[in-house]
């Protein structure tokens, strides 16, 4: 099929094929790089926030709980400030009051919590069960959908490692009376040492960062397409000026010579391959004239 096309069209088809392949490969590579960077950015945010919550828990465990624990037996109402998970959740809720962090979430999702606001939803329950089924599994990451858009989450198991934790969660009889008065005796009991009872789940919005990566990819592709379109116009103009037009002129002169017009000359305006071709045609015309003259003289 290409045999029937003119030189410029053949060249454009070849150039367009190369361009489409280059755009496709560069687009895939650029998109992969941007998506990887976006995921790194989301992961860094989630890890920073998770580390903050862990620090709050540690502070509550070592500084606040020892001061308030004796009051649990005398107070009529339970003091949730003694619970590390409660402190971390409250700090997170305070952070979420800032409009920039409205869609950031932290939860110590528990299968059988004392406070029902920490009860696992079906998705979180699946995470906890994965940790319970594989004791070597220390972290899970991924994306989940929400009304606010896609969220990137990091989940880590909550394991009962200290005997002191069982004081409030072994049996109702061992629990502080203030706890029973506040939360009752139906939830948050039966925990065992070294048992995985829940998961710390931090979720940060990912849709915005991913959308920005997609927009950057489209912008990059648009710039590449525009640059190549301009390059094709310039190359086509140069091709016509330096190759196509000189060849067309030589074809016209050759046609005139073939009709007997020996005064027509092949213009040699350059010293490149086109110029060499014109010079060769001129020599051929000269040889043809000499041959015809010799035939005319009968030699």
């Amino acid at each position: 099929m290409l045999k029937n096309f003119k030189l410029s069209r053949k060249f454009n088809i070849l150039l367009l094929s190369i361009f489409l392949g280059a755009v496709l490969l560069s687009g895939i590579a650029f998109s992969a790089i941007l998506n990887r960077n976006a995921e790194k950015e989301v992961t860094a945010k989630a890890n920073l926030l998770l580390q903050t919550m862990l620090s709050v828990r540690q502070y509550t465990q070592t500084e606040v709980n020892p001061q308030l624990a004796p009051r649990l037996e005398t107070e009529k109402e339970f003091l949730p400030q003694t619970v590390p998970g409660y402190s971390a959740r409250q700090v997170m809720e305070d952070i979420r009051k800032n409009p920039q962090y409205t869609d950031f979430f932290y939860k110590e999702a528990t299968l059988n919590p004392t406070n029902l606001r920490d009860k696992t939803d079906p998705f979180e329950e699946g995470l906890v069960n994965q940790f319970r089924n594989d004791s070597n599994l220390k972290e899970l990451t991924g994306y989940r959908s929400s009304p606010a858009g896609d969220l990137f989450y990091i989940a880590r198991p909550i394991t009962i490692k200290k005997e002191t934790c069982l004081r409030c969660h072994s049996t109702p009889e061992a629990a502080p009376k203030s706890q029973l008065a506040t939360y009752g005796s139906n939830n948050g009991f039966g925990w065992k040492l070294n048992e995985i009872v829940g998961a710390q789940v931090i979720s940060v919005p990912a849709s915005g960062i991913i959308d920005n990566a997609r927009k950057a990819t489209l912008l990059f592709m648009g710039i590449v397409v525009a640059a190549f379109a301009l390059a094709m116009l310039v190359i086509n103009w140069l091709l016509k000026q330096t190759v196509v037009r000189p060849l067309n002129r030589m074809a016209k002169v050759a046609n005139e010579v073939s009709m007997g017009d020996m005064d027509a000359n092949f213009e040699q305006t350059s010293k490149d391959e086109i110029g060499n071709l014109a010079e060769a045609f001129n020599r051929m015309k000269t040889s043809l004239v000499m041959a015809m003259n010799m035939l005319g003289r009968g030699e």
Side-chain angles (χ1 to χ4, degrees):
M1 184 177 65
L2 292 177
K3 293 180 180 180
N4 299 323
F5 290 162
K6 293 184 177 180
L7 182 62
S8 60
R9 181 170 295 183
K10 291 180 180 179
F11 186 80
N12 282 330
I13 291 175
L14 178 61
L15 197 60
L16 185 60
S17 301
I18 295 174
F19 163 71
L20 291 176
V23 168
L24 181 61
L25 292 176
S26 60
I28 293 174
F30 191 71
S31 178
I33 292 172
L34 285 181
N35 287 335
R36 190 183 307 113
N37 290 340
E39 186 166 331
K40 286 182 179 179
E41 182 179 348
V42 173
T43 303
K45 286 185 177 180
N47 277 320
L48 178 60
L49 203 54
L50 181 57
Q51 189 58 48
T52 301
M53 296 302 102
L54 293 175
S55 297
V56 172
R57 293 184 95 265
Q58 182 65 20
Y59 176 79
T60 302
Q61 182 71 35
T62 59
E63 302 292 337
V64 178
N65 185 277
Q67 301 298 323
L68 297 180
R71 295 174 55 184
L72 294 178
E73 298 296 340
T74 59
E75 297 284 346
K76 293 182 180 180
E77 185 175 352
F78 184 71
L79 299 175
Q81 293 80 7
T82 61
V83 181
Y86 174 87
S87 298
R89 181 73 178 266
Q90 290 302 110
V91 169
M92 187 68 237
E93 292 303 316
D94 189 61
I95 292 176
R96 293 183 67 242
K97 293 178 182 178
N98 187 320
Q100 296 182 359
Y101 299 99
T102 302
D103 298 326
F104 288 67
F105 301 97
Y106 174 77
K107 182 178 179 181
E108 298 196 2
T110 310
L111 296 175
N112 180 25
T114 300
N115 189 339
L116 292 180
R117 79 169 183 174
D118 297 324
K119 178 70 176 177
T120 54
D121 61 26
F123 177 80
E124 294 162 346
E125 184 176 351
L127 296 178
V128 176
N129 286 331
Q130 289 187 63
F131 288 126
R132 290 167 70 94
N133 294 332
D134 184 0
S135 59
N136 295 321
L137 191 59
K138 302 302 179 184
E139 184 176 279
L140 289 171
T141 62
Y143 294 89
R144 64 179 300 187
S145 299
S146 76
D150 290 338
L151 298 175
F152 176 79
Y153 69 86
I154 296 178
R156 295 177 181 175
I158 298 176
T159 307
I160 305 303
K161 296 181 179 180
K162 297 181 179 180
E163 291 281 356
T164 54
C165 297
L166 297 178
R167 183 192 175 202
C168 298
H169 299 287
S170 57
T171 62
E173 292 75 20
K177 294 180 180 180
S178 58
Q179 176 185 334
L180 298 177
T182 302
Y183 297 109
S185 58
N186 295 324
N187 302 305
F189 297 104
W191 295 11
K192 299 178 181 178
L193 193 65
N194 297 320
E195 180 186 17
I196 296 175
V197 298
Q200 293 173 301
V201 183
I202 192 80
S203 302
V204 299
S207 55
I209 296 176
I210 294 176
D211 288 343
N212 289 337
R214 290 172 180 168
K215 290 178 181 178
T217 300
L218 292 177
L219 178 61
F220 170 77
M221 298 296 290
I223 293 174
V224 171
V225 170
F228 186 82
L230 179 60
M232 282 195 66
L233 290 175
V234 173
I235 291 173
N236 270 280
W237 182 82
L238 292 174
L239 181 65
K240 288 181 179 179
Q241 294 296 321
T242 60
V243 178
V244 176
R245 287 185 179 179
L247 288 178
N248 285 335
R249 285 196 298 266
M250 280 190 282
K252 182 180 178 181
V253 172
N255 185 60
E256 292 174 356
V257 170
S258 68
M259 300 296 292
D261 184 3
M262 296 302 172
D263 293 329
N265 290 314
F266 296 94
E267 296 183 4
Q268 183 181 356
T269 59
S270 64
K271 294 184 178 181
D272 56 11
E273 288 80 358
I274 300 296
N276 293 336
L277 181 62
E279 183 180 1
F281 274 129
N282 281 324
R283 288 197 302 267
M284 182 181 69
K285 190 193 75 167
T286 301
S287 298
L288 180 61
V289 171
M290 293 175 62
M292 292 179 66
N293 289 336
M294 292 174 64
L295 289 173
R297 292 196 301 266
E299 295 181 4

